[in-house]
């Protein structure tokens, strides 16, 4: 950590919630079926560590309903109730969370019956060496065992039938293999197999069928895991909410934290980055120094932290000043080579290949002894293995190497890998290094005479950002907004806007840092744009922050879908800021909407034109229907799919419809096969036909 502490940090809450998995291609059509969607609908509710497997069991029991026999139901539940995935962006705290789970197991606070916990860092696994299941578990969790062959077979047989085994795989995205997307053969309990096959056989419970398994990963690699092995229940670590940030900030900064918080409150884009714990710690470190008060991007934060460290006594006392720059180039090269080879754990031979000084390893890497009963400490003897103190740092140094030291010819040939999700963080930092000020700072550390083709590579990155921009939407559009934010250059923002279409389509992101990217981009625009926004799988806090951030920009939200969200005062207030410009407002399974129907009705009545209102999956009370009937005059379409109303409430809506000055400018629809809403729609269609002036005129002509 960059901040020196004289005491232990007390735990603060990391927010975690259910997530809906992306759709596999082969299930696209199936997912369109209404009953499938309803059975898999989640409420993005907050989840604690102790609830993980309870939630997985609930979901498995719901999924088992489609099984035709009791045996099949039991097998389905066994397969899906005992494994959970935990995903989140880099630096959100997935490793910390998984270690806390193990800590709670040891205290009998989580999975209290567990007798055999195994904690495995996936980046430590040698995927090239075949081994038995017992060797895999003990070697990779650094447990020393000296059993005979017979004892080993007896032990693995005992574990195979034991329900009190818990295995934690931390960092699936850090695996040095891409074979997780493929089907695997069935492993024998005492046979030797490749580690990737052993893991997949554990994931589908061919091996250790009664164990509990937790797998953490960045989202992309988790969802690339073949569906036969991917956990059915996946939870997302969202990061630090305001209370947790304040708690951690106070512990880090003491009495200086109120001043730091004031700076963050004045810079929302920077505050959004603090949602992730590693970002928060690094940003607070920067803000504690007056030199760090004008930072706007994570590239700037890392450059600042690196510069301060390189100039500090930690390094200058060990590495000669005139050698620091050359050694930093070697460090960057190693970082890049490691990512290119999917290698995150390094040995002495790797350092020797780039001729990196031992002092650099001591200062920039975390080193431990291989197979040393779990001890992780800097040591002098033994088979040492090392890795960067956080993957984010390796990705940053790799970006530096690509932008500064790779030739343009080689750089162009790497374009295909830049589209791989494994390189998404590296690419974002590469755009940050395109910023002229960031480049100037890096030249103070890295020898300027060794820099190659920077301007050509910068132009290449700009063209990649603008490429096919008119067809970009959803995640692709948000990713490019992130590139532009990290670039942080006014002239480039103007070029970017010129390449965009007027109408933009986007899903609300899951995390506040992405909200910061969107808001930064939209605030840089000078021309009007129309935004179609869908909150398919996000949280109330993220949606509210995005709506507040967009307000006051030249961008208007023309269609807003609020899906599976709990309404609250501040969210409704931020929604009403945009209501006058909306053409379509769509509520789907929104909870706690009733307290806000009056203010929503009043706002609709105050509009200068009509709006389409979709209310799907609601149960309206009497007051809700009264407020709804009161604003029908400013609604062109009312869609009430899967919405329940009583016969008395139907009469209230009928009266509201009959009072409309022009029934031909209003449409009512539903998909219900039965119920009072269906009867209301049938009545409406008859009533609309009977009051149609053209129909009356035709009838009069026929009579004449």
């Amino acid at each position: 950590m960059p901040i020196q502490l004289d005491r232990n940090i007390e735990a603060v809450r990391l927010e975690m919630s259910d997530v809906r998995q992306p759709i596999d291609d082969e299930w696209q059509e199936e997912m369109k079926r209404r009953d499938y969607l309803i059975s898999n609908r989640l409420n993005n509710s907050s989840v604690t560590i102790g609830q993980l497997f309870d939630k997985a069991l609930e979901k498995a029991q719901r999924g088992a309903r489609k099984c035709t026999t009791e045996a099949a139901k039991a097998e389905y539940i066994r397969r899906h109730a005992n494994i959970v995935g935990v995903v989140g962006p880099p630096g959100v705290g997935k490793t910390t969370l998984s270690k806390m789970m193990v800590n709670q197991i040891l205290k009998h606070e989580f999975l209290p019956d567990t007798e055999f916990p195994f904690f495995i860092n996936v980046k430590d696994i040698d995927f090239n060496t075949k081994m038995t299941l017992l060797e895999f578990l003990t070697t990779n969790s650094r447990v020393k065992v000296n059993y005979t062959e017979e004892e080993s077979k007896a032990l693995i047989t005992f574990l195979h039938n034991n329900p009190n085994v818990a295995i934690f795989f931390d960092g699936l995205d850090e695996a040095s293999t891409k074979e997780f997307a493929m089907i695997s053969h069935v492993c024998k309990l005492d046979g030797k197999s490749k580690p990737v096959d052993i893991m997949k056989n554990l994931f589908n419970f061919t091996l250790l069928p009664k164990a509990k398994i937790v797998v953490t990963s960045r989202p992309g690699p988790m969802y690339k895991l073949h569906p036969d092995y991917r956990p059915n229940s996946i939870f997302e670590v969202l990061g630090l909410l305001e209370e947790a940030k304040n708690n951690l900030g106070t512990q880090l900064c003491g009495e200086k934290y109120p001043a730091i918080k004031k700076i963050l409150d004045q810079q929302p884009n920077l505050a959004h980055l603090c949602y992730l714990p590693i970002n928060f710690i690094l940003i607070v470190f920067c803000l504690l120094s007056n030199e760090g008060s004008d930072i706007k991007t994570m590239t700037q934060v890392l450059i600042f932290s690196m510069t301060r460290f390189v100039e500090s006594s930690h390094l200058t006392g060990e590495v000669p000043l005139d050698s620091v720059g050359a050694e930093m180039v070697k460090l960057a090269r190693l970082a890049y080579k490691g990512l290119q080879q999917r290698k995150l754990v390094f040995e002495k031979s790797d350092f020797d290949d780039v001729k990196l000084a031992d002092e650099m390893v001591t200062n920039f890497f975390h080193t431990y002894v291989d197979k040393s009963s779990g001890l992780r400490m800097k040591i002098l003897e033994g088979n040492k293995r090392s890795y960067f103190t956080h993957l984010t740092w390796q990705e940053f140094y790799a970006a530096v190497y690509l932008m500064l030291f790779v030739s343009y010819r080689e750089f162009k040939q790497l374009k295909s890998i830049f589209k791989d999700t494994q390189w998404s963080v590296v690419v974002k930092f590469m755009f940050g290094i395109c910023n002229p000020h960031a480049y100037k700072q890096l030249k103070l550390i890295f020898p300027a005479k060794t820099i190659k083709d920077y301007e050509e590579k910068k132009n290449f990155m700009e063209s990649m950002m603008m490429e096919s921009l008119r067809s970009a939407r959803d995640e692709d559009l948000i990713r490019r907004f992130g590139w532009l934010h990290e670039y942080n250059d006014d002239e480039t923002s103007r070029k970017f806007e010129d390449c965009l279409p007027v109408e933009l389509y986007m899903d609300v992101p899951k995390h506040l840092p992405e909200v910061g990217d969107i808001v930064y981009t939209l605030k840089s625009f000078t021309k009007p744009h129309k935004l179609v926004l869908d909150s398919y799988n996000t949280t109330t806090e993220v949606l509210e922050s995005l709506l507040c951030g967009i307000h006051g920009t030249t961008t208007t939200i023309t269609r807003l879908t609020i899906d599976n969200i709990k309404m609250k005062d501040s969210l409704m207030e931020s929604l009403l800021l945009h209501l006058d410009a909306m053409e379509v407002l769509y509520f789907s399974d929104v909870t706690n909407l009733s307290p806000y129907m009056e203010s929503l009705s009043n706002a609709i009545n105050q509009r200068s034109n009509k709006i389409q209102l979709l209310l799907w999956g609601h149960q309206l009370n009497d007051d809700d229907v009264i407020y709804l009937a009161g604003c029908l005059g400013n609604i062109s379409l009312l869609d009430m799919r899967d919405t329940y109303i009583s016969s008395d409430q139907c009469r209230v809506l009928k009266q509201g419809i009959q009072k409309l000055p022009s029934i031909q400018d209003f449409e009512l629809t539903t998909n219900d096969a039965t119920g009072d809403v269906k009867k209301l729609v049938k009545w409406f269609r008859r009533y609309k036909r009977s009051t149609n002036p053209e129909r009356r005129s035709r009838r009069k002509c026929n009579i004449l």
Side-chain angles (χ1 to χ4, degrees):
M1 290 210 310
I3 302 172
Q4 299 306 309
L5 301 170
D6 56 4
R7 61 190 179 284
N8 291 330
I9 287 289
E10 296 178 4
V12 298
R13 181 183 174 84
L14 276 174
E15 195 68 14
M16 183 164 56
S17 75
D18 292 333
V19 292
R20 282 174 279 186
Q21 294 192 37
I23 306 167
D24 292 320
D25 292 343
E26 63 267 26
W27 288 98
Q28 286 278 6
E29 293 303 317
E30 183 72 14
M31 284 292 289
K32 292 178 182 177
R33 288 173 41 197
R34 174 175 168 268
D35 57 341
Y36 189 90
L37 284 170
I38 290 174
S39 69
N40 284 274
R41 186 167 292 284
L42 301 171
N43 60 5
N44 287 310
S45 58
S46 182
V47 177
T48 64
I49 287 175
Q51 296 173 322
L52 288 177
F53 285 101
D54 293 336
K55 295 275 187 182
L57 176 60
E58 291 172 11
K59 188 170 183 180
Q61 289 171 338
R62 288 197 302 270
R65 294 171 189 165
K66 61 188 177 185
C67 299
T68 55
T69 66
E70 291 301 316
K73 287 181 180 180
E75 175 63 18
Y76 184 93
I77 291 172
R78 180 190 71 80
R79 164 68 181 84
H80 294 290
N82 288 332
I83 181 170
V84 298
V86 178
V87 298
V92 77
K94 300 182 292 296
T95 296
T96 300
L97 188 70
S98 57
K99 288 180 178 179
M100 288 189 72
M101 291 183 198
V102 176
N103 190 41
Q104 289 191 12
I105 283 178
L106 298 176
K107 294 179 179 179
H108 304 288
E109 296 171 352
F110 174 55
L111 302 178
D113 296 330
T114 301
E115 298 173 350
F116 301 93
F118 297 92
F119 185 89
I120 297 173
N121 279 313
V122 178
K123 66 185 174 191
D124 289 342
I125 298 173
D126 179 0
F127 284 95
N128 297 316
T129 303
K130 287 189 175 184
M131 56 187 70
T132 65
L133 173 59
L134 185 62
E135 289 171 340
F136 173 83
L137 292 173
T138 56
T139 299
N140 293 300
S141 58
R142 297 192 190 87
V143 176
K144 279 189 174 180
V145 291
N146 291 300
Y147 296 128
T148 64
E149 185 176 345
E150 286 188 11
E151 289 171 335
S152 295
K153 287 182 179 180
L155 178 56
I156 201 63
T157 301
F158 174 73
L159 293 176
H160 183 71
N161 296 307
N162 197 317
N164 299 322
V165 176
I167 309 173
F168 294 82
F169 290 97
D170 184 50
L172 184 70
D173 54 298
E174 299 178 358
S176 59
T177 178
K178 292 185 177 181
E179 294 183 43
F180 284 104
M182 298 182 289
I183 287 282
S184 179
H185 71 274
V186 175
C187 296
K188 294 181 179 179
L189 190 62
D190 57 353
K192 289 198 172 188
S193 302
K194 293 194 300 184
V196 67
D197 293 324
I198 293 175
M199 289 175 67
K200 286 187 281 190
N201 276 256
L202 287 169
F203 292 168
N204 71 0
F205 293 95
T206 303
L207 296 174
L208 305 193
K210 297 182 180 180
K212 294 282 196 303
I213 295 177
V214 177
V215 186
T216 73
S217 175
R218 295 184 185 184
M222 178 71 79
Y223 298 131
K224 285 182 179 178
L225 187 59
H226 192 279
D228 287 358
Y229 312 111
R230 187 192 312 147
N232 197 35
S233 294
I234 294 183
F235 304 87
E236 180 137 22
V237 187
L238 300 175
L240 302 171
L241 296 187
E242 200 62 28
E243 182 180 349
K245 284 194 293 186
N246 292 338
N247 185 340
L248 181 56
T250 300
Q251 293 188 67
L252 293 173
C253 308
E255 60 184 17
K256 295 181 180 179
Y257 183 65
I260 299 296
K261 188 176 185 305
K262 186 176 180 180
I263 296 174
L264 293 174
D265 290 342
Q266 293 169 349
Q267 298 189 48
N269 287 352
L270 196 59
H272 288 151
L273 293 171
C274 292
Y275 197 47
L276 306 182
I278 188 172
N279 290 1
F280 182 75
I281 292 171
L282 290 168
I283 288 170
V284 164
F285 166 64
C286 292
L287 295 180
L288 281 172
S289 166
N290 293 331
E291 300 174 43
S293 58
D294 62 344
I295 53 175
K296 293 182 175 64
T297 69
M298 275 311 296
T299 304
Q300 289 178 311
V301 170
L302 293 174
I303 290 175
F304 178 84
S305 301
M306 176 193 69
T307 303
R308 291 295 296 268
F309 183 76
V310 168
E311 293 174 349
S312 71
S313 58
H314 291 288
L315 194 61
T316 55
E318 300 182 22
V319 182
L321 193 59
D322 58 351
S323 302
V324 169
E327 291 296 328
M328 292 298 293
V329 175
K330 298 174 186 176
L331 184 76
R333 183 183 175 211
L334 180 67
Y336 167 65
K337 285 182 63 180
L339 291 181
Q340 194 178 38
Q341 300 168 10
R342 299 184 63 84
K343 188 170 190 176
L344 307 181
V345 179
F346 303 96
E347 299 175 359
K348 187 175 184 303
S349 58
D350 299 304
F351 300 130
D352 290 343
D353 283 345
V354 297
K355 298 180 173 58
L356 189 67
D358 291 342
E359 293 79 9
M360 296 292 289
V361 177
T362 302
N363 280 279
F364 288 91
F365 290 83
H366 184 84
T367 300
Y368 63 95
V369 182
D370 196 17
K371 304 177 186 178
S372 62
S373 303
L375 291 179
R376 284 177 169 269
M377 61 179 67
K378 291 180 179 177
I379 42 80
L380 298 176
E381 303 293 338
N383 183 16
K384 294 183 283 189
R385 308 186 78 193
S386 305
Y387 53 85
F388 284 90
T389 52
H390 197 281
L391 180 56
T392 298
W393 278 111
Q394 183 173 351
E395 291 169 319
F396 169 70
Y397 289 123
V400 170
Y401 188 76
L402 283 165
M403 288 303 299
L404 300 189
F405 306 115
V406 169
S407 70
Y408 181 57
R409 182 179 178 181
E410 181 181 352
F411 190 86
K412 286 194 300 182
Q413 295 171 347
L414 296 170
K415 183 178 179 180
S416 59
I417 73 167
F418 295 159
K419 297 179 181 179
D420 192 321
T421 55
Q422 293 277 358
W423 291 82
S424 59
V425 177
V426 177
V427 172
K428 198 168 182 179
F429 286 142
M430 288 165 66
F431 277 103
I433 296 169
C434 288
N435 177 276
H437 183 65
Y439 174 58
K440 183 178 178 181
Q441 288 180 299
L442 287 172
K443 286 201 298 183
L444 298 176
I445 299 294
F446 297 90
K449 62 182 180 181
T450 61
I451 295 176
K452 298 177 184 176
D453 308 332
Y454 171 75
E455 290 297 331
E456 290 89 339
K457 288 181 280 189
K458 177 181 172 182
N459 293 334
F460 179 91
M461 297 297 290
E462 282 189 16
S463 66
M464 190 171 79
M465 184 194 296
M466 313 295 177
E467 187 177 65
S468 305
L469 194 53
R470 289 195 173 275
S471 60
R473 57 188 298 165
D474 298 332
E475 289 184 3
D476 184 28
L477 189 59
I478 295 174
R479 178 168 56 251
R480 298 191 194 211
F481 282 5
W483 294 349
L484 188 69
H485 183 194
E486 209 64 32
Y487 201 140
N488 191 32
D489 180 72
D490 293 339
E491 182 181 348
T492 307
S493 294
R494 287 193 293 273
K495 292 179 185 176
F496 185 88
E497 183 181 11
D498 290 339
C499 295
L500 272 178
V502 172
E503 195 162 50
L504 310 174
Y505 296 84
M506 186 189 305
D507 290 338
V508 179
K510 299 176 185 177
H511 300 98
L512 281 173
E514 294 167 314
V515 171
D517 295 336
I518 297 169
V519 171
Y520 169 88
T521 302
L522 297 183
K523 282 186 174 180
S524 72
F525 288 174
T526 57
K527 303 171 185 175
H529 289 270
K530 296 180 179 180
L531 180 61
V532 176
L533 200 59
D534 188 345
S535 66
Y536 167 71
N537 191 15
T538 189
T539 64
T540 303
E541 291 77 15
V542 171
L543 176 58
E544 178 189 325
S545 181
L546 181 59
L547 292 176
C548 289
I550 295 174
H551 180 62
T553 68
T554 58
T555 300
T556 54
I557 301 174
T558 56
R559 179 186 175 104
L560 175 62
T561 299
I562 302 182
D563 182 12
N564 204 29
I565 289 282
K566 182 177 181 180
M567 189 58 67
K568 63 179 185 178
D569 292 354
S570 54
L571 177 56
M572 179 55 72
E573 289 171 8
S574 60
L575 164 62
L576 295 181
L577 293 174
H578 299 274
L579 188 67
D580 197 52
M582 284 183 202
E583 299 169 6
V584 181
L585 177 58
Y586 173 15
F587 292 106
S588 176
D589 293 291
V590 175
T591 56
N592 197 40
L593 185 59
S594 291
Y596 306 99
M597 284 298 292
E598 181 178 8
S599 58
L600 180 62
S601 175
N602 292 337
I604 290 175
N605 276 327
Q606 292 169 12
R607 284 172 53 93
S608 56
N609 55 359
K610 295 190 176 187
I611 190 172
Q612 295 182 22
L613 181 64
L614 290 76
L615 289 170
W616 290 17
H618 291 82
Q619 184 165 346
L620 303 178
N621 61 37
D622 292 345
D623 287 338
D624 295 342
V625 174
I626 292 171
Y627 296 134
L628 185 58
C631 65
L632 291 180
N634 237 3
I635 294 176
S636 60
L637 169 68
L638 178 61
D639 188 338
M640 301 177 69
R641 301 188 190 190
D642 307 320
T643 292
Y644 172 81
I645 59 173
S646 66
S647 56
D648 289 338
Q649 292 168 345
C650 272
R651 282 192 289 272
V652 173
L653 286 176
K654 284 181 182 180
Q655 292 169 4
I657 291 170
Q658 289 169 334
K659 291 178 182 178
L660 292 175
S662 175
I663 187 64
Q664 304 307 318
D665 296 331
F666 176 77
E667 186 60 48
L668 177 68
T669 185
T670 184
N671 69 336
D672 285 352
T674 59
D676 290 307
V677 173
K678 187 70 173 180
K679 294 175 184 176
L680 176 65
V681 172
K682 286 182 177 180
W683 168 86
F684 167 76
R685 288 172 181 167
R686 290 195 302 268
Y687 176 73
K688 189 172 183 178
R689 285 196 300 270
S690 68
T691 56
N692 189 334
E694 292 182 7
R695 187 169 184 265
R696 287 180 176 178
S697 177
R698 286 196 301 271
R699 287 182 63 188
K700 186 175 181 180
C701 289
N702 290 337
I703 291 171
L704 291 174

